[in-house]
Amino acid sequence: MRGRAARVLALVVLAVLILFPVYFTIAGSLMKPGDIASAPPSLFPHGITFHNYRGVFRAVPLGRQYFNSTLVSVVITLAQLVCAVLSAYAFVFLALPLKRTLFAVFLLTLMVPWESIIIPNYLFMADHRLRNTYLALVLPFLAGGFGTFLLRQSFRTFPVELRDAAVLDGASHGRFLFTILLPLSRPALASVGIFVFLSAWNQFLWPLLITDSPRMQTLQIGLASLNDAEAADPGLILAGVTLALVPTAALVAFGQRFLVRGLTAGAVR
Amino acid sequence: MRQAATAGRRGLGRERLLGLALVAPSLAVFGFFIFWPLVRTFQLSTTGQDLFGRADRQVGLANFTAVLHDSQFGQVLAVTAGYVVLTVIPSILFALVLGLLLQNPLRGMRFLRSAFAMPFAYSVAAASVVFAALFNPAIGIANYLVTRLGFAPVQWLTQPGTALISVAITTVWMNVGYNMLVILAGVGGVDEQLYEAARLDGAGTFRIARSITVPLITPSLFFLVVVDTIASLQSFGQIRVLTRGGPTGHTTTLVYWIYHTAFENGASDYGEGSAQAVVLLLVVILITAIQFGVLERRVIYR
Amino acid sequence: MRPSYLRLLTAGVAAGALAITAGCSGSSGGGSGSSNASAPASDVLNKAGDVTVTFWHEMKGNNGDALNALVAKFNAAHAGKITVKPVFEGNYDDAVTKYKAAVQAKQTPSLIQVYDVGSGFLSDSGQTIPVQSFADEDHFSLDDLQPAIKGYYSKNGKLQSMPFNSSVPLLYINATAFKKAGLDPTKPPTTLDEIRSDAQKLKSSGAVKYPFNAAIYGWYFEQLTAEAGKPYCNNDNGRTARATDVTFDDPEQIQFLSWWKGMLADGLASNTGRNTDDAQAAFKSGTIGMGFESTGVLGGYLAAAGSKFQVATAPFPKVQSSDAGGPIIGGASLWIDGPGHSAAEQRAAWEFVKFLVQPENAAYWHTKTGYFPVTKAALDQPVDKAWVAQKPQFQTAIDELKSSPSTTATQGCLLGSLPQVRALVETAIESVLTSGKDPKAALDQAASQAKDLITKYNAAVGK
């Protein structure tokens, strides 16, 4: 059928366009400097070399920066999840005073762009000698309005019957939360967790401003400074990018169903 | 209505305390790192700095007049608006096309979905660095391909007009994966029977897409508009890696302008930077108001 | 009678005591942030144990390796007494930002390498102890420093920081391409017009893809101004009094921009943007016939060119051959921090600084990097002489500096906000090259914006 052929063609063209940079990342990392830094550049590697992968660790402490990014992102994600669960619980299941006002405060935090308050936060860290510390990378992000917002919506749809049954059984708030509510809220928790983790993983301006020691920088800054430092050696830079991609690429390739459900929980409602 | 059935006032009082205790951690973080800095931004915007950036004098509204009268101010606003438009609309359009193309099960669709979602695995820095190499004026492959196709080489990052487009291309490429996944999820929620009925009525592919699929996924589309716009307004990494705000400031958005005034080239003009930050805040509030006031009305909820 | 006699006697004794102490040693320990901080006595080190010197630098790649080698040599020679810890701080701009934050957090390094255009800011900062003070304290002679280099880093005749990696701009030539076009690389173009005519020959012969390329780097504009013998800012380039404005209205400056625009428009040049790394990559790939760059990249160029093509160097051009100017020293210098550092630390930093300007070490630095040797004695080292004889490309910089007149124009502009002014000039050049703006209008706009910046800076300093 012509419609089918047209569809396939369109998909192939789009695939080439979208996947070319991915091909370039991997192929380029395996090219020798003569291949990639030449004019005209070659599209295909003439002989594969792993020398770029050895060199990239000499150029920047990439392993350490990987660790930094992971540690910071995990800490932020866990902290935000805890704060969001506690706050959402309070908003939905407890007689919280000034509930409307407090919720408005939470919503307000979503309206304020981080970049418009970055200067005072930077000065605070600089004045208190917190530059180049994990604390500074993590502290401002230990709580976030998005998680609370999403979890509140999720908790609100929790079946009343289950809640009433738990109360009749004499369950305390803690027991209800941990043994009933949370296990059944896994999709929402996953969605918050993924969203927060990715935001933390992707941060650029804040780590750029408050770290300058290569060993305390995050992966993103490391990649950018690799780009600056080794501009004459694109193969090296691409090796760094390839290495940085491995976990997230694995997530996309194998965890798609999980990703889709998690990421869109907030959208489709 | 949802409150636990507690007995007596003492129980209620304790519950109230518990509630406050549960929101306290979040509020503490917000207070310290969002609201207090917000106040500080306004305060700083009326100060002048010494050599090291320490505020040491009051200058009233001088920073604001400097910002508003800055010859670059109009350009910064235009670049920001242009950048948002150049990224949000193509990101959603491409993803929509992909989503519609991939909705009916084709052989190997799973594989294609993963393939198209690959850009999602790239962080901002990773994508920017790769595109910087592609767009490199001397040894970049983009120009090599362009010349092989018979066109003149493009000044991707060094020509004022094209530079913003190049940065936008990088951002759109990054967004497409995620946007496509969201749209596919939305499309998956559309009732098959509606398609059946439409086909029975003789509707073609395009008609079905336009009149059934798209309207029914407006919640997802609205979500993407909001999320992509926010991401666009906050874009920094791409600009810093690809163009550093140039050439001649043609890729300097509001956020980059703040960075440039307050931090770049060894600067420490926190007073004027804070005035610009106030402008950013107002712009974001305005855009959010428009999005929720105007666009959300058109969303079709089921 | 007696009280006033007593008073006179006390005053006399006090004055005498002051005179004696002032003549011998300066104040001990770190100063309190005043710009008159002076060097501590030399015996302070003997009492201290192992002193650590944190050294912030911005040397990467090939140059970074050479620096680390020098640090290792120093640490070995002073084992147990002084340990220098080098910390790579990224690029020159970032280092200044970090330094400002460090001042606020009271966590400054003992020694910091700051680029040439940061000299104004550092000398206004009150955070450093002038090198002159240490030299006077130790009766260490600074006469062997190249006069042009010494002049750049001096204020009121006193050397503020120790020059370390000094560079002059050069015109790099792809000698292989030159020969292919029938040009003689040993007779390079010396003026802008000559560059243009050589470029045309390069283009018509098809020897290279682009006859000329230069990064949009404000440094080249500063150089050309000095080559024309003109000042960059007022008050004698800020050397006799604090500069309050820039001087961007000279015909040579406008001509430079018009010339560059014409080269680009006629396909004789390519535009690789502001990033010097991109321009270097272009030259290294062999597609450029002639390019501007610093002596500091010569080592890297030779390594990259390898056997692909030959590299030749020529002095930076003038606008007209009759111009009575010369190049300005570029690069960076080392500043010793005062407040917050113990006297032992300050002295240790000075010991390292002295080590670096020893002839053999300066010669090592020169031959490894291509940066200009800061002392005359370094040039006489056998290692250096042999190196230069082997690689005649290194001789160009030496000759260029020797023949440069010592005037305020070649001293360069001393301006606290020079880094940002330089960025304004780059924007002006960009607008001429890519948006077709009129050179004079572009420079006028840059000048007026620069003036605002300078006024703001002076307000922040002068109290």
Side-chain angles (χ1 to χ4, degrees), chain A residues 180-213:
Chain A
I180 302 177
L181 185 61
L182 285 185
L184 290 175
S185 307
R186 267 196 270 252
L189 289 174
S191 114
V192 173
I194 293 178
F195 192 87
V196 173
F197 184 86
L198 287 173
S199 317
W201 184 260
N202 258 299
Q203 275 188 337
F204 197 95
L205 181 52
W206 179 245
L208 179 71
L209 292 180
I210 57 154
T211 58
D212 43 60
S213 148

Side-chain angles (χ1 to χ4, degrees), chain C residues 28-76:
Chain C
S28 62
S32 53
S34 72
S35 48
N36 296 322
S38 46
S42 49
D43 59 349
V44 168
L45 261 183
N46 302 339
K47 306 167 201 156
D50 190 3
V51 183
T52 308
V53 172
T54 37
F55 172 32
W56 286 11
H57 72 91
E58 296 86 56
M59 300 283 87
K60 64 188 186 200
N62 180 46
N63 298 347
D65 294 339
L67 179 60
N68 286 330
L70 283 170
V71 168
K73 185 175 167 193
F74 178 85
N75 284 342

Side-chain angles (χ1 to χ4, degrees), chain B residues 49-54 56-57 63 70-71 136-139 153 155 158-160 240 244 246-250 259 261 263-270 272, chain C residues 91 93-94 96-97 99-100 103-104 115 121 124-125 127 271-274 278 281-282 285 419-420 423 427 430-431 434-435 445 449 456-457 459-461 463:
Chain B
Q49 273 59 41
D50 72 357
L51 269 200
F52 301 100
R54 292 179 290 223
D56 65 349
R57 57 189 186 282
N63 285 324
D70 194 319
S71 52
N136 187 299
I139 52 179
Q155 299 270 70
T158 48
Q159 187 78 27
R240 157 89 180 185
R244 299 244 167 168
T248 49
H250 278 81
Y259 169 74
T261 307
F263 299 104
E264 204 174 27
N265 293 332
S268 52
D269 196 346
Y270 303 126
E272 199 167 316
Chain C
N91 62 44
D93 283 324
D94 287 347
V96 171
T97 308
Y99 186 68
K100 285 188 182 178
V103 169
Q104 278 194 298
Y115 53 179
F121 165 67
D124 284 335
S125 69
Q127 290 290 315
N271 176 18
T272 53
R274 278 161 102 138
D278 289 340
S285 69
Q420 291 149 292
T427 304
E430 243 174 3
S431 66
T434 61
S435 312
Q445 182 176 23
Q449 286 172 319
K456 212 166 183 182
Y457 176 86
V461 178
K463 253 170 237 150

Side-chain angles (χ1 to χ4, degrees), chain A residues 64-226:
Chain A
R64 166 77 185 221
Q65 288 165 345
Y66 227 115
F67 171 75
N68 292 341
S69 274
T70 310
L71 179 70
V72 166
S73 304
V74 166
V75 168
I76 289 179
T77 306
L78 289 177
Q80 283 209 19
L81 273 173
V82 167
C83 286
V85 164
L86 295 180
S87 312
Y89 190 84
F91 276 117
V92 175
F93 297 109
L94 296 178
L96 191 62
L98 300 171
K99 192 177 285 199
R100 279 234 186 86
T101 328
L102 284 177
F103 192 65
V105 168
F106 274 72
L107 272 185
L108 219 62
T109 65
L110 292 174
M111 293 266 292
V112 176
W114 176 250
E115 290 76 18
S116 56
I117 48 173
I118 203 166
I119 294 178
N121 276 312
Y122 169 81
L123 290 175
F124 173 80
M125 298 298 171
D127 287 343
H128 290 84
R129 294 197 188 191
L130 287 174
R131 292 184 84 243
N132 284 310
T133 59
Y134 286 122
L135 213 58
L137 283 169
V138 156
L139 266 182
F141 309 106
L142 291 178
F146 177 76
T148 307
F149 188 62
L150 209 71
L151 287 181
R152 174 176 168 269
Q153 270 189 297
S154 167
F155 288 176
R156 267 170 115 191
T157 65
F158 192 76
V160 190
E161 314 82 54
L162 284 172
R163 169 75 184 143
D164 291 342
V167 166
L168 281 171
D169 271 348
S172 68
H173 288 297
R175 247 191 69 195
F176 171 62
L177 178 67
F178 287 109
T179 58
I180 302 177
L181 185 61
L182 285 185
L184 290 175
S185 307
R186 267 196 270 252
L189 289 174
S191 114
V192 173
I194 293 178
F195 192 87
V196 173
F197 184 86
L198 287 173
S199 317
W201 184 260
N202 258 299
Q203 275 188 337
F204 197 95
L205 181 52
W206 179 245
L208 179 71
L209 292 180
I210 57 154
T211 58
D212 43 60
S213 148
R215 286 189 62 76
M216 284 309 293
Q217 285 174 336
T218 60
L219 191 59
Q220 311 309 329
I221 309 300
L223 282 177
S225 56
L226 184 65

Side-chain angles (χ1 to χ4, degrees), chain C residues 201-256:
Chain C
K201 290 208 189 81
L202 279 167
K203 179 151 190 225
S204 51
S205 73
V208 269
K209 197 158 169 214
Y210 293 107
F212 178 81
N213 172 264
I216 298 180
Y217 188 24
W219 192 52
Y220 303 142
F221 179 80
E222 290 154 38
Q223 293 298 337
L224 205 101
T225 308
E227 292 274 1
K230 297 283 170 70
Y232 186 88
C233 51
N234 64 4
N235 291 337
D236 289 321
N237 261 340
R239 303 281 170 178
T240 54
R242 192 176 283 288
T244 56
D245 199 0
V246 290
T247 51
F248 288 171
D249 46 8
D250 290 308
E252 291 89 351
Q253 293 167 322
I254 299 171
Q255 210 174 328
F256 178 47

Side-chain angles (χ1 to χ4, degrees), chain C residues 25-386:
Chain C
S25 58
S27 58
S28 62
S32 53
S34 72
S35 48
N36 296 322
S38 46
S42 49
D43 59 349
V44 168
L45 261 183
N46 302 339
K47 306 167 201 156
D50 190 3
V51 183
T52 308
V53 172
T54 37
F55 172 32
W56 286 11
H57 72 91
E58 296 86 56
M59 300 283 87
K60 64 188 186 200
N62 180 46
N63 298 347
D65 294 339
L67 179 60
N68 286 330
L70 283 170
V71 168
K73 185 175 167 193
F74 178 85
N75 284 342
H78 290 79
K81 305 255 295 286
I82 307 178
T83 310
V84 173
K85 269 180 52 183
V87 182
F88 175 65
E89 291 295 338
N91 62 44
Y92 287 134
D93 283 324
D94 287 347
V96 171
T97 308
K98 289 158 193 180
Y99 186 68
K100 285 188 182 178
V103 169
Q104 278 194 298
K106 302 201 175 31
Q107 254 187 332
T108 50
S110 331
L111 187 68
I112 180 171
Q113 178 192 28
V114 176
Y115 53 179
D116 44 5
V117 292
S119 307
F121 165 67
L122 259 290
S123 65
D124 284 335
S125 69
Q127 290 290 315
T128 61
I129 303 180
V131 160
Q132 187 78 48
S133 175
F134 282 98
D136 292 342
E137 169 67 25
D138 285 6
H139 304 290
F140 180 83
S141 170
L142 296 170
D143 292 338
D144 198 38
L145 288 175
Q146 293 280 357
I149 302 180
K150 193 162 134 191
Y152 187 90
Y153 295 106
S154 300
K155 193 158 88 166
N156 298 328
K158 294 209 186 315
L159 189 63
Q160 303 291 303
S161 57
M162 183 59 84
F164 174 52
N165 50 317
S166 288
S167 56
V168 285
L170 293 177
L171 177 69
Y172 282 89
I173 293 176
N174 183 329
T176 314
F178 250 48
K179 288 186 202 144
K180 234 190 256 177
L183 294 164
D184 184 359
T186 59
K187 293 198 180 65
T190 56
T191 66
L192 294 182
D193 287 333
E194 282 174 27
I195 293 182
R196 192 187 166 90
S197 64
D198 281 357
Q200 275 160 336
K201 290 208 189 81
L202 279 167
K203 179 151 190 225
S204 51
S205 73
V208 269
K209 197 158 169 214
Y210 293 107
F212 178 81
N213 172 264
I216 298 180
Y217 188 24
W219 192 52
Y220 303 142
F221 179 80
E222 290 154 38
Q223 293 298 337
L224 205 101
T225 308
E227 292 274 1
K230 297 283 170 70
Y232 186 88
C233 51
N234 64 4
N235 291 337
D236 289 321
N237 261 340
R239 303 281 170 178
T240 54
R242 192 176 283 288
T244 56
D245 199 0
V246 290
T247 51
F248 288 171
D249 46 8
D250 290 308
E252 291 89 351
Q253 293 167 322
I254 299 171
Q255 210 174 328
F256 178 47
L257 261 54
S258 310
W259 169 86
W260 201 341
K261 182 179 179 173
M263 293 282 283
L264 196 64
D266 298 339
L268 297 170
S270 70
N271 176 18
T272 53
R274 278 161 102 138
N275 195 346
T276 51
D277 285 324
D278 289 340
Q280 288 173 29
F283 189 87
K284 285 179 186 172
S285 69
T287 55
I288 306 288
M290 301 176 273
F292 292 156
E293 250 302 347
S294 135
T295 38
V297 307
L298 181 51
Y301 271 12
L302 288 172
S307 49
K308 280 193 298 188
F309 61 93
Q310 279 185 309
V311 177
T313 54
F316 199 76
K318 298 191 152 99
V319 180
Q320 261 113 250
S321 41
S322 54
D323 286 344
I328 314 173
I329 281 297
S333 64
L334 305 175
W335 298 76
I336 301 177
D337 256 59
H341 300 277
S342 67
E345 207 181 316
Q346 293 164 359
R347 286 248 38 130
W350 167 240
E351 289 300 317
F352 180 59
V353 163
K354 273 195 297 190
F355 167 84
L356 288 172
V357 295
Q358 294 303 306
E360 55 182 37
N361 298 322
Y364 175 80
W365 181 245
H366 174 214
T367 55
K368 283 284 176 222
T369 61
Y371 279 119
F372 203 85
V374 298
T375 61
K376 298 180 219 153
L379 286 172
D380 291 331
Q381 289 279 300
V383 139
D384 202 280
K385 282 192 144 133

